[in-house]
Amino acid sequence: MEQVKGYVEHIIYRNGENGYTVMNLVSGEEEIVCVGNFRTVDQGEMLEISGNYIEHPVYGMQLKAESYQVAEPDDELSMERYLGSGAIKGIGAALAARIIKKFGKDTFRVIEEEPERLAEVKGISEKKAREIAVQMEEKKDMRSAMVFLQKYGISNVLAVKIYNTYGSEIYSVMKENPYRLAEDVGGIGFKIADEIARKAGIHTDSDYRIRSGILYILLQASAEGHIYLPENILLERCMDLLEVQQEAIAPQIANLTMDKKVVVRHSGEKWVYAAPYYYEELNCAKMMHDLNIPLQEGGWLPSEEKQIQKRIEGLEKAQGIKLDELQKRAVMESIKNGVLILTGGPGTGKTTTINTIIRYFAEEGLDIFLAAPTGRAAKRMTEATGYEAKTIHRLLELNGASMEEKRSAKFEKNEENPLEADVIIIDEMSMVDIHLFQALLKAVIPGTRLIMAGDINQLPSVGPGQVLRDLIDSECFPKVMLQKIFRQAEKSDIVVNAHRINEGKEPAMDNKSMDFFFLERNDANVIYKHMIQLIREKLPSYVNAGSFDIQVLTPMRKGNLGVEVLNGILQEYLNPPDAAKEEHPYGNGLFRVGDKVMQTKNNYQMEWEVVSKYGIPVDKGLGIFNGDMGVIKEINDFSQEMVVEFDERRRVSYPFHQLDEIELAYAITIHKSQGSEYAAVIMPLLSGPKMLCNRNLLYTGVTRAKYCVTILGSRQMVKEMVANQYQNKRYTSLCHRIKEMAVISGKQQ
């Protein structure tokens, strides 16, 4: 058994579920790759590890930890880490080590009082010695703070953020309430703050700890799509997390309410909101109420309505189409009202209806803006209408002036600088969360027509809320639900089967179809083989598309047919190792030039550029978003960067430390496929948890395919998914807020 002492320089990979971690440990001048269960360990911590060295076939020598304990960093190590952190220009890790080796614990005194002695160290001239001394004097307070923070296992990166936030107040914050870090400093959540507080000797039943825990639970709930939590559920989750009694939690909810950090509302039961989410819903309800106005005072005369109907008939002739009654009603409602909700499944004529609406207003000479939540959905909208559609972020002119941790988007278009449009049409509304909806509404002035289209049966947004469903359920806005499947669409078994699934009927699995196939395979290894065969050989020519346009969709991340396993297998066959292709190990796998990848979180500050074939930039902008897909073009070990090209030839350089934002995308979850369309879809369905494998998910997966769907797996599994209507309930209250607004104003549809 080996005993090693050192500090965590970098966490390469961590499994959030079981705590399995791969990390770099610096011990003296040696850098060691350590693997094991380090659930709570963070960068910068000093550890004493017991374990054995093992030889990994791909990643080489590793120390497999059996046990570890957190050790106090000695003063010399703290000094060395500070000097080598980049805080002092001209000193890197190697030079810092030489300085400490020369002067030991006396280093800082020497720099302050006898700086000329630094020239005794190889690589430091007298001039450089003076420059170092000046910097040390200027950053004396920061240096002291960083050395102080290292005792709590805080990395240099976080230490700088903490110091920049609090300055000299840092010592009282750490002593009295380290939980402030979770609220005030980007990159520090409750769990890190809790670990710091434990080291600082803060008691488990501290008021500060409980209050911070409540806010953390509400934040976690928003990641599940919730706007609020019923008080009983909040209390249960808090007791599990904090390991304190309910009696200690309830008073702190009241205290947070008084501090305006949370809002409590009564609706038969107590609903507890993180304050920003409550006011987002309230604002959206108020703004929707203000937009929801008839666009002609006193209503429309019968003769005027007749005139509109004649113009609609003229548009039908011009386009060579025939609208059904619901479609005509949708066009009429869009003309008469400030707000219209248009919903319907595939093949029900949403696109035709939107095209007619666009052409009507174009003839009027009105300014029309089209947008969708994702780049892919916007591209589809452009192709379907012939008018340019943008992402909602681009429409609102994302400016990148966001919070430090890139969690918050800032837009140029807002209530002070609204969109100069007469008509705004938003597609794929089911994907719009409450944050984006509020940002959009702020930029729309009353009198502008807002038309929102989407499929109510698609999965809800990744972010918090269920905006489209709440708008429809409120029954306060003009809406048209298209139901008829048009004759042209009836020829597509994708469309027919999608509607069958939605109605709770089994899709036709007799393989008499030209675009919907079912291959019964009850062994995961057999499914892998057929999947590779379909992607490489059968489907590209069948759908006239490249292998990267064929998408594997699966309900799960884990398991034999989960995203993680499938991506490893598909990478091996679709983009095999090649001496000419650079690679970079990451986590339990690796990235390779030519890999298909996907962005996994919204990054509002990520810069992209479009370059010509001669390498000259022709466009640039900000923002890469959750679900954006691309291909790895370059991996540069020297500059520690990876270049990914996304749709529309947008190129992004990812520093290696930011690779946690992307993952392989040969296979993705059905959730991640929302708003996208692929030439062909393959769905491996063999088994899975009930909460994931439901009708809603199957319907969404099937409707992502343009030309062909192939299900590989168990007939019984498909039947169970169709029968399973289970959906995770989302705690949202936009519907309630809208109804309240309608009652107050006396205006309800």
Coordinates of all heavy atoms in Angstrom, one line a residue, residues 579-645:
A579 N -4.0 7.3 -37.0 CA -2.8 8.0 -36.7 C -2.9 9.5 -37.1 O -2.2 10.3 -36.5 CB -1.6 7.3 -37.4
A580 N -3.7 9.8 -38.1 CA -3.8 11.2 -38.6 C -4.7 12.0 -37.7 O -4.8 13.2 -37.9 CB -4.2 11.2 -40.0
K581 N -5.5 11.4 -36.8 CA -6.5 12.1 -36.0 C -6.0 12.3 -34.6 O -5.7 11.3 -33.9 CB -7.8 11.3 -36.0 CG -8.5 11.3 -37.4 CD -9.8 10.5 -37.3 CE -10.5 10.4 -38.6 NZ -11.8 9.6 -38.5
E582 N -6.0 13.6 -34.2 CA -5.6 13.9 -32.8 C -6.7 13.4 -31.9 O -7.9 13.4 -32.2 CB -5.3 15.4 -32.6 CG -4.2 15.9 -33.4 CD -2.8 15.5 -32.8 OE1 -2.8 15.1 -31.6 OE2 -1.9 15.4 -33.6
E583 N -6.2 13.0 -30.6 CA -7.2 12.6 -29.6 C -6.9 13.3 -28.3 O -5.8 13.8 -28.1 CB -7.1 11.1 -29.4 CG -7.5 10.2 -30.5 CD -7.3 8.7 -30.3 OE1 -6.7 8.4 -29.2 OE2 -7.8 7.9 -31.1
H584 N -7.9 13.4 -27.4 CA -7.7 13.9 -26.1 C -8.5 13.2 -25.1 O -9.8 13.1 -25.2 CB -8.1 15.4 -26.0 CG -7.9 16.0 -24.6 ND1 -6.7 16.2 -24.1 CD2 -8.8 16.4 -23.7 CE1 -6.8 16.7 -22.9 NE2 -8.1 16.8 -22.6
P585 N -7.9 12.4 -24.1 CA -8.6 11.7 -23.1 C -9.4 12.6 -22.3 O -8.9 13.7 -21.9 CB -7.5 11.0 -22.3 CG -6.3 11.2 -23.0 CD -6.4 12.3 -23.9
Y586 N -10.7 12.3 -22.0 CA -11.5 13.1 -21.1 C -12.5 12.2 -20.3 O -13.2 11.4 -21.0 CB -12.2 14.2 -21.8 CG -12.8 15.2 -20.9 CD1 -12.1 16.2 -20.4 CD2 -14.2 15.1 -20.5 CE1 -12.6 17.1 -19.5 CE2 -14.7 16.0 -19.6 CZ -13.9 17.0 -19.1 OH -14.4 17.9 -18.2
G587 N -12.5 12.3 -19.0 CA -13.4 11.4 -18.2 C -13.0 10.0 -18.4 O -11.8 9.6 -18.4
N588 N -14.0 9.2 -18.7 CA -13.8 7.7 -18.9 C -13.6 7.4 -20.4 O -13.4 6.3 -20.7 CB -15.0 6.9 -18.4 CG -14.9 6.8 -16.8 OD1 -13.9 6.9 -16.2 ND2 -16.1 6.6 -16.2
G589 N -13.6 8.4 -21.2 CA -13.4 8.2 -22.7 C -12.5 9.2 -23.3 O -11.5 9.6 -22.6
L590 N -12.7 9.5 -24.5 CA -11.8 10.5 -25.2 C -12.6 11.2 -26.3 O -13.6 10.7 -26.8 CB -10.6 9.8 -25.7 CG -10.7 8.6 -26.7 CD1 -10.9 9.1 -28.1 CD2 -9.4 7.8 -26.6
F591 N -12.1 12.3 -26.7 CA -12.5 13.1 -27.9 C -11.5 12.8 -29.0 O -10.3 12.8 -28.8 CB -12.7 14.6 -27.6 CG -13.8 14.9 -26.6 CD1 -13.5 15.5 -25.4 CD2 -15.1 14.6 -26.9 CE1 -14.6 15.9 -24.5 CE2 -16.1 14.9 -26.1 CZ -15.9 15.5 -24.9
R592 N -12.0 12.7 -30.2 CA -11.2 12.5 -31.4 C -11.6 13.5 -32.5 O -12.8 13.7 -32.7 CB -11.3 11.0 -31.8 CG -10.5 10.6 -33.0 CD -10.7 9.1 -33.3 NE -10.2 8.3 -32.3 CZ -10.9 7.3 -31.7 NH1 -12.1 7.0 -32.2 NH2 -10.4 6.5 -30.7
V593 N -10.7 14.0 -33.3 CA -11.0 14.8 -34.4 C -12.0 14.0 -35.3 O -11.8 12.8 -35.6 CB -9.7 15.2 -35.2 CG1 -10.1 15.8 -36.6 CG2 -8.9 16.2 -34.4
G594 N -13.1 14.7 -35.7 CA -14.1 14.0 -36.5 C -15.3 13.6 -35.7 O -16.3 13.1 -36.3
D595 N -15.2 13.6 -34.4 CA -16.3 13.2 -33.5 C -17.5 14.1 -33.6 O -17.3 15.3 -33.8 CB -15.9 13.1 -32.1 CG -15.2 11.8 -31.7 OD1 -15.5 10.8 -32.4 OD2 -14.5 11.7 -30.7
K596 N -18.7 13.5 -33.6 CA -19.9 14.3 -33.5 C -20.2 14.6 -32.0 O -20.2 13.7 -31.2 CB -21.0 13.4 -34.0 CG -22.4 14.0 -34.1 CD -23.4 13.0 -34.7 CE -24.8 13.5 -34.8 NZ -25.7 12.4 -35.3
V597 N -20.3 15.9 -31.7 CA -20.5 16.3 -30.3 C -21.6 17.3 -30.1 O -22.2 17.8 -31.1 CB -19.2 17.0 -29.7 CG1 -18.0 16.0 -29.7 CG2 -18.8 18.2 -30.6
M598 N -22.0 17.5 -28.8 CA -23.1 18.3 -28.5 C -22.8 19.2 -27.3 O -22.2 18.7 -26.3 CB -24.4 17.5 -28.2 CG -25.6 18.3 -27.8 SD -27.1 17.2 -27.6 CE -26.6 16.2 -26.2
Q599 N -23.2 20.5 -27.3 CA -23.1 21.4 -26.2 C -24.2 21.0 -25.2 O -25.3 20.7 -25.5 CB -23.3 22.8 -26.6 CG -23.3 23.8 -25.5 CD -22.0 24.2 -25.0 OE1 -20.9 23.8 -25.6 NE2 -21.9 25.0 -23.9
T600 N -23.8 20.9 -23.9 CA -24.7 20.4 -22.9 C -25.3 21.4 -21.9 O -26.1 21.1 -21.1 CB -24.1 19.3 -22.1 OG1 -22.9 19.8 -21.4 CG2 -23.7 18.1 -22.9
K601 N -24.9 22.7 -22.1 CA -25.4 23.7 -21.2 C -25.4 25.1 -22.0 O -24.6 25.2 -22.9 CB -24.6 23.9 -19.9 CG -23.1 24.1 -20.1 CD -22.4 24.2 -18.8 CE -22.2 22.9 -18.1 NZ -21.3 22.9 -17.0
N602 N -26.3 26.0 -21.6 CA -26.2 27.3 -22.2 C -25.0 28.1 -21.8 O -24.7 28.2 -20.6 CB -27.5 28.1 -21.8 CG -28.7 27.6 -22.4 OD1 -28.7 26.9 -23.5 ND2 -29.9 27.8 -21.8
N603 N -24.2 28.6 -22.7 CA -23.1 29.4 -22.4 C -23.2 30.7 -23.2 O -23.0 30.7 -24.4 CB -21.8 28.7 -22.8 CG -20.5 29.4 -22.4 OD1 -20.6 30.7 -22.3 ND2 -19.5 28.7 -22.0
Y604 N -23.7 31.7 -22.6 CA -24.1 32.9 -23.2 C -22.9 33.8 -23.7 O -23.0 34.7 -24.4 CB -25.0 33.8 -22.3 CG -26.2 33.1 -21.9 CD1 -26.4 32.6 -20.6 CD2 -27.2 32.8 -22.8 CE1 -27.6 31.9 -20.3 CE2 -28.4 32.2 -22.5 CZ -28.5 31.7 -21.2 OH -29.7 31.0 -20.8
Q605 N -21.7 33.4 -23.1 CA -20.5 34.2 -23.4 C -19.5 33.5 -24.4 O -18.5 34.1 -24.7 CB -19.8 34.6 -22.1 CG -20.5 35.7 -21.3 CD -19.6 36.1 -20.2 OE1 -19.0 35.4 -19.5 NE2 -19.7 37.4 -19.9
M606 N -19.8 32.3 -24.7 CA -19.0 31.6 -25.6 C -18.9 32.3 -27.0 O -19.9 32.5 -27.6 CB -19.4 30.1 -25.8 CG -18.6 29.3 -26.7 SD -17.0 28.9 -25.9 CE -17.4 27.4 -25.0
E607 N -17.7 32.6 -27.4 CA -17.5 33.3 -28.7 C -17.4 32.3 -29.9 O -16.8 31.2 -29.7 CB -16.3 34.1 -28.7 CG -16.3 35.3 -27.7 CD -15.0 36.1 -27.6 OE1 -14.1 35.8 -28.3 OE2 -15.0 37.1 -26.9
W608 N -18.1 32.6 -31.0 CA -18.0 31.8 -32.2 C -17.7 32.7 -33.4 O -17.9 33.9 -33.3 CB -19.2 31.0 -32.4 CG -20.5 31.7 -32.5 CD1 -21.4 31.9 -31.5 CD2 -21.1 32.5 -33.6 NE1 -22.5 32.7 -31.9 CE2 -22.3 33.0 -33.2 CE3 -20.6 32.7 -34.9 CZ2 -23.1 33.8 -34.1 CZ3 -21.4 33.5 -35.8 CH2 -22.6 34.0 -35.3
E609 N -17.1 32.1 -34.4 CA -16.9 32.8 -35.6 C -17.1 31.9 -36.8 O -16.9 30.7 -36.7 CB -15.5 33.5 -35.7 CG -14.3 32.6 -35.7 CD -13.0 33.4 -35.9 OE1 -13.0 34.6 -35.6 OE2 -12.0 32.7 -36.2
V610 N -17.5 32.5 -37.9 CA -17.6 31.7 -39.2 C -16.5 32.2 -40.1 O -16.3 33.4 -40.2 CB -19.0 32.1 -39.9 CG1 -19.1 31.3 -41.2 CG2 -20.1 31.6 -38.9
V611 N -15.7 31.2 -40.6 CA -14.5 31.6 -41.4 C -14.8 31.1 -42.9 O -15.4 30.1 -43.1 CB -13.2 31.0 -40.9 CG1 -12.9 31.6 -39.5 CG2 -13.2 29.5 -40.8
S612 N -14.2 31.8 -43.8 CA -14.3 31.5 -45.2 C -13.4 30.3 -45.5 O -12.6 29.9 -44.6 CB -14.0 32.6 -46.1 OG -12.6 32.9 -46.0
K613 N -13.4 29.8 -46.7 CA -12.5 28.7 -47.0 C -11.1 29.1 -47.0 O -10.2 28.3 -47.0 CB -12.9 28.0 -48.4 CG -12.8 29.0 -49.6 CD -13.3 28.2 -50.9 CE -13.2 29.2 -52.1 NZ -13.6 28.5 -53.3
Y614 N -10.8 30.4 -47.0 CA -9.5 30.9 -47.0 C -9.0 31.2 -45.6 O -8.0 31.8 -45.3 CB -9.3 32.1 -47.9 CG -9.7 31.9 -49.3 CD1 -10.9 32.4 -49.8 CD2 -8.9 31.1 -50.1 CE1 -11.3 32.2 -51.1 CE2 -9.3 30.8 -51.5 CZ -10.5 31.4 -51.9 OH -10.9 31.1 -53.2
G615 N -9.9 30.9 -44.6 CA -9.6 31.1 -43.2 C -9.9 32.5 -42.7 O -9.4 32.9 -41.6
I616 N -10.6 33.3 -43.5 CA -10.9 34.7 -43.1 C -12.2 34.8 -42.4 O -13.2 34.3 -42.9 CB -10.9 35.6 -44.4 CG1 -9.6 35.6 -45.1 CG2 -11.3 37.1 -44.0 CD1 -9.6 36.2 -46.5
P617 N -12.3 35.4 -41.2 CA -13.6 35.5 -40.4 C -14.6 36.3 -41.2 O -14.3 37.4 -41.6 CB -13.2 36.2 -39.1 CG -11.7 35.9 -39.0 CD -11.2 35.9 -40.4
V618 N -15.8 35.8 -41.4 CA -16.8 36.5 -42.1 C -18.0 36.9 -41.2 O -18.9 37.7 -41.6 CB -17.3 35.7 -43.4 CG1 -16.2 35.6 -44.4 CG2 -17.8 34.3 -43.0
D619 N -18.1 36.2 -40.1 CA -19.2 36.5 -39.1 C -18.7 36.1 -37.7 O -17.9 35.2 -37.6 CB -20.5 35.8 -39.5 CG -21.7 36.3 -38.7 OD1 -21.6 37.3 -38.0 OD2 -22.7 35.6 -38.8
K620 N -19.2 36.7 -36.7 CA -18.9 36.3 -35.3 C -20.0 36.6 -34.4 O -20.9 37.5 -34.8 CB -17.6 36.9 -34.9 CG -17.6 38.4 -34.8 CD -16.2 38.9 -34.3 CE -16.2 40.4 -34.1 NZ -14.9 40.9 -33.6
G621 N -20.1 36.0 -33.3 CA -21.1 36.3 -32.3 C -20.9 35.6 -31.0 O -19.8 35.0 -30.8
L622 N -21.9 35.7 -30.1 CA -21.8 35.1 -28.8 C -23.0 34.1 -28.6 O -24.1 34.2 -29.1 CB -22.0 36.2 -27.7 CG -20.8 37.1 -27.5 CD1 -21.2 38.3 -26.7 CD2 -19.6 36.4 -26.9
G623 N -22.7 33.1 -27.8 CA -23.7 32.1 -27.3 C -23.7 30.8 -28.1 O -23.9 30.7 -29.3
I624 N -23.4 29.7 -27.3 CA -23.6 28.4 -27.8 C -24.6 27.7 -26.7 O -24.4 27.9 -25.5 CB -22.3 27.6 -27.8 CG1 -21.4 28.2 -28.9 CG2 -22.5 26.1 -28.2 CD1 -21.9 28.1 -30.3
F625 N -25.6 27.0 -27.2 CA -26.6 26.6 -26.3 C -26.8 25.1 -26.2 O -26.4 24.3 -27.1 CB -27.9 27.3 -26.8 CG -27.8 28.7 -26.9 CD1 -27.7 29.4 -28.1 CD2 -27.7 29.5 -25.8 CE1 -27.6 30.7 -28.2 CE2 -27.5 30.9 -25.8 CZ -27.4 31.5 -27.1
N626 N -27.4 24.8 -25.1 CA -27.8 23.4 -24.8 C -28.4 22.7 -25.9 O -29.5 23.1 -26.4 CB -28.7 23.4 -23.5 CG -28.9 22.0 -22.9 OD1 -28.5 21.0 -23.5 ND2 -29.5 21.9 -21.8
G627 N -27.8 21.6 -26.5 CA -28.4 20.9 -27.6 C -27.8 21.2 -28.9 O -28.0 20.5 -29.9
D628 N -27.0 22.3 -29.0 CA -26.3 22.6 -30.3 C -25.3 21.5 -30.6 O -24.6 21.0 -29.8 CB -25.5 23.9 -30.2 CG -26.4 25.1 -30.2 OD1 -27.6 25.0 -30.5 OD2 -25.9 26.3 -30.1
M629 N -25.3 21.0 -31.9 CA -24.5 19.9 -32.3 C -23.4 20.3 -33.3 O -23.7 21.2 -34.1 CB -25.3 18.8 -32.9 CG -26.2 18.1 -31.8 SD -27.3 16.9 -32.4 CE -26.3 15.5 -32.4
G630 N -22.3 19.7 -33.2 CA -21.2 20.0 -34.1 C -20.2 18.9 -34.3 O -20.4 17.7 -33.8
V631 N -19.1 19.2 -35.0 CA -18.0 18.2 -35.2 C -16.7 18.7 -34.8 O -16.4 19.9 -35.0 CB -18.0 17.8 -36.7 CG1 -16.8 16.9 -37.0 CG2 -19.3 17.2 -37.2
I632 N -15.9 17.9 -34.1 CA -14.5 18.3 -33.7 C -13.6 18.4 -34.9 O -13.5 17.5 -35.7 CB -13.9 17.3 -32.7 CG1 -14.8 17.2 -31.4 CG2 -12.5 17.7 -32.3 CD1 -14.3 16.1 -30.5
K633 N -13.1 19.6 -35.1 CA -12.2 19.9 -36.3 C -10.8 19.9 -35.9 O -9.9 19.5 -36.7 CB -12.6 21.3 -36.9 CG -13.9 21.4 -37.5 CD -14.0 20.5 -38.8 CE -15.3 20.6 -39.5 NZ -15.4 19.7 -40.6
E634 N -10.4 20.3 -34.7 CA -9.0 20.3 -34.3 C -8.9 20.0 -32.8 O -9.7 20.4 -32.0 CB -8.4 21.8 -34.5 CG -8.3 22.2 -35.9 CD -7.9 23.7 -36.0 OE1 -7.1 24.1 -35.1 OE2 -8.3 24.4 -36.9
I635 N -7.8 19.3 -32.5 CA -7.4 19.2 -31.1 C -5.9 19.6 -31.0 O -5.1 19.0 -31.7 CB -7.6 17.7 -30.6 CG1 -9.1 17.3 -30.6 CG2 -7.0 17.5 -29.2 CD1 -9.3 15.9 -30.2
N636 N -5.6 20.6 -30.2 CA -4.2 21.1 -30.1 C -3.7 20.9 -28.6 O -4.1 21.7 -27.7 CB -4.2 22.6 -30.5 CG -2.8 23.1 -30.7 OD1 -1.9 22.7 -29.9 ND2 -2.6 24.0 -31.6
D637 N -2.9 19.9 -28.4 CA -2.3 19.7 -27.1 C -1.4 20.8 -26.6 O -1.3 21.1 -25.4 CB -1.6 18.4 -27.1 CG -2.5 17.2 -26.9 OD1 -3.5 17.3 -26.3 OD2 -2.2 16.1 -27.5
F638 N -0.8 21.5 -27.6 CA 0.2 22.6 -27.2 C -0.6 23.8 -26.6 O -0.3 24.2 -25.5 CB 1.0 23.0 -28.4 CG 1.9 24.2 -28.1 CD1 3.1 23.9 -27.4 CD2 1.6 25.5 -28.5 CE1 4.0 25.0 -27.1 CE2 2.5 26.5 -28.2 CZ 3.7 26.3 -27.5
S639 N -1.7 24.2 -27.3 CA -2.5 25.3 -26.8 C -3.5 24.9 -25.9 O -4.3 25.7 -25.3 CB -3.1 26.1 -28.0 OG -4.0 25.3 -28.7
Q640 N -3.7 23.6 -25.7 CA -4.7 23.0 -24.8 C -6.1 23.5 -25.2 O -6.9 23.9 -24.4 CB -4.4 23.4 -23.3 CG -3.1 23.0 -22.8 CD -3.2 21.5 -22.2 OE1 -3.7 21.3 -21.2 NE2 -2.6 20.6 -23.0
E641 N -6.4 23.3 -26.5 CA -7.7 23.8 -27.0 C -8.3 22.7 -28.0 O -7.5 22.0 -28.6 CB -7.6 25.1 -27.7 CG -7.5 26.3 -26.8 CD -7.5 27.6 -27.6 OE1 -7.0 27.6 -28.7 OE2 -8.0 28.6 -27.1
M642 N -9.6 22.8 -28.1 CA -10.3 21.9 -29.1 C -11.2 22.8 -29.8 O -12.0 23.6 -29.3 CB -11.0 20.8 -28.3 CG -11.6 19.7 -29.2 SD -11.9 18.2 -28.2 CE -13.6 18.6 -27.8
V643 N -11.2 22.7 -31.2 CA -12.1 23.5 -32.0 C -13.3 22.6 -32.5 O -13.1 21.5 -33.0 CB -11.3 24.1 -33.2 CG1 -12.3 24.8 -34.2 CG2 -10.2 25.0 -32.8
V644 N -14.5 23.1 -32.3 CA -15.7 22.4 -32.7 C -16.4 23.3 -33.7 O -16.6 24.5 -33.5 CB -16.6 22.1 -31.5 CG1 -17.9 21.5 -32.0 CG2 -15.9 21.2 -30.5
E645 N -16.9 22.7 -34.8 CA -17.7 23.5 -35.8 C -19.2 23.1 -35.6 O -19.5 21.9 -35.8 CB -17.2 23.2 -37.2 CG -18.0 24.1 -38.2 CD -17.4 24.0 -39.6 OE1 -16.3 24.5 -39.8 OE2 -18.0 23.3 -40.5

